[in-house]
Amino acid sequence: MKIVRNVCKNLFLILVSFISVFPFYWMIVGMTNESKDITMGKLTFGNAFFTNVTNAFEKADLWHAFFNSAQLAIVITFFSLLICSVAGYAFVVFPSRGKEILFMVLVASMMVPFATKLIPMFRMFSSMKLLNTFWAIILPAIGAPFLIFFFRQNTESFPKETIEAARVDGCSEYQIFARIYAPMMKSTYAAAGIFAFMASWNNYMWPLIALQSNSKFTLPLAVANLAADFNPDYGMIMVGIVMSTIPTVIVFFCLQKAFVEGMVGSVK
């Protein structure tokens, strides 16, 4: 009976693994085939890889869109971690009468659908003359309510005795944050960094509205434009999708251990 149970469990895991991996396999196979082969459902590797890559970089200029996405993702991730960690730290460490009310407002803002914010954001950035600039993408992203909430909840488990001891030793609040808090919360920073990077890298709706020139398009917008053609080249589209996937996969696998520790709120 135990052997049968183990066999069934392994078969189930193999099936689930196959279902999970198959889209990635089909995506990689697709970038080596011509458009007609992809539409016919060909599942074996072809010989059009170099043609698709050349078309993607020269005709569609996906490399420029990739650079725009990378630039935005790096800047947004850095400033998001800085600003949101400072906010989360302040919510816990510094006493204030209205901080709980402010925190409840912050949590409530997470429940507002993003689509309802599009028109107010568009009008606000239009009045500030920031539409069609990267600032229109960066500014709304660097103070993400979820990341502030995430840092605040993890800071609750931070040993307050360490902060008090540092204050007794004469450390300023800036020194405590930079030399004690940040190094001890590196797992939380790693988890938040993955969230911030992936949110920026995959951001589509707001850049679609805020960015109007092709030279400023991010990779998701460039790939979507390829798919919107009257006669789309699916080989080029698959190259763009693979380009969109690889950075997030690399970031996650490099930080996966710290990500798990950060999600459970560990402090080292």
Side-chain angles (χ1 to χ4, degrees):
M1 186 66 182
K2 184 177 180 180
I3 296 177
V4 175
R5 186 163 56 248
N6 289 335
V7 170
C8 293
K9 181 175 68 174
N10 290 332
L11 289 175
F12 174 76
L13 292 175
I14 292 172
L15 177 62
V16 172
S17 300
F18 175 79
I19 294 174
S20 301
V21 172
F22 178 77
F24 295 96
Y25 169 78
W26 182 76
M27 178 177 64
I28 294 172
V29 167
M31 67 185 295
T32 67
N33 287 309
E34 297 180 1
S35 184
K36 61 179 182 180
D37 294 325
I38 298 174
T39 56
M40 293 174 61
K42 183 180 177 182
L43 296 178
T44 56
F45 289 94
N47 55 6
F49 173 75
F50 292 104
T51 302
N52 292 332
V53 171
T54 301
N55 291 337
F57 284 107
E58 294 182 358
K59 295 182 180 179
D61 197 17
L62 291 185
W63 177 250
H64 187 72
F66 180 90
F67 178 77
N68 288 341
S69 289
Q71 186 179 21
L72 284 172
I74 292 171
V75 172
I76 289 173
T77 301
F78 175 80
F79 283 103
S80 293
L81 294 181
L82 177 63
I83 294 173
C84 295
S85 62
V86 170
Y89 176 84
F91 266 118
V92 176
V93 173
F94 298 115
S96 174
R97 292 182 179 179
K99 70 176 183 179
E100 292 302 323
I101 297 176
L102 181 60
F103 182 71
M104 293 304 297
V105 172
L106 183 73
V107 173
S109 68
M110 295 168 55
M111 305 177 188
V112 179
F114 182 75
T116 62
K117 307 176 187 177
L118 290 177
I119 294 177
M121 287 174 61
F122 181 86
R123 297 190 61 177
M124 180 178 69
F125 283 101
S126 177
S127 64
M128 296 168 63
K129 309 298 183 183
L130 291 178
L131 285 180
N132 201 32
T133 68
F134 288 154
W135 287 111
I137 310 301
I138 294 172
L139 292 178
I142 59 178
F146 173 75
L147 290 182
I148 297 176
F149 169 82
F150 183 69
F151 273 105
R152 191 258 190 187
Q153 296 304 106
N154 280 274
T155 306
E156 290 283 359
S157 62
F158 190 85
K160 308 302 185 297
E161 299 81 7
T162 305
I163 297 176
E164 295 299 330
R167 287 172 178 170
V168 171
D169 289 340
C171 293
S172 66
E173 295 297 333
Y174 297 105
Q175 291 174 324
I176 294 172
F177 180 85
R179 298 182 181 180
I180 298 175
Y181 174 82
M184 293 179 67
M185 298 289 287
K186 62 182 180 180
S187 297
T188 302
Y189 275 94
I194 291 176
F195 278 115
F197 183 87
M198 293 183 67
S200 173
W201 187 265
N202 296 322
N203 194 9
Y204 176 77
M205 181 63 71
W206 175 238
L208 177 65
I209 296 172
L211 302 178
Q212 293 145 5
S213 60
N214 292 340
S215 62
K216 289 184 169 55
F217 274 9
T218 58
L219 194 55
L221 297 182
V223 174
N225 279 350
L226 292 179
D229 290 343
F230 180 76
N231 187 22
D233 187 334
Y234 292 107
M236 278 199 305
I237 294 173
M238 291 300 170
V239 173
I241 294 173
V242 171
M243 289 177 62
S244 301
T245 305
I246 289 176
T248 56
V249 172
I250 292 175
V251 169
F252 180 79
F253 278 106
C254 289
L255 299 176
Q256 60 178 330
K257 182 178 179 181
F259 173 78
V260 174
E261 292 177 353
M263 290 303 294
V264 298
S266 65
V267 178
K268 292 187 178 180

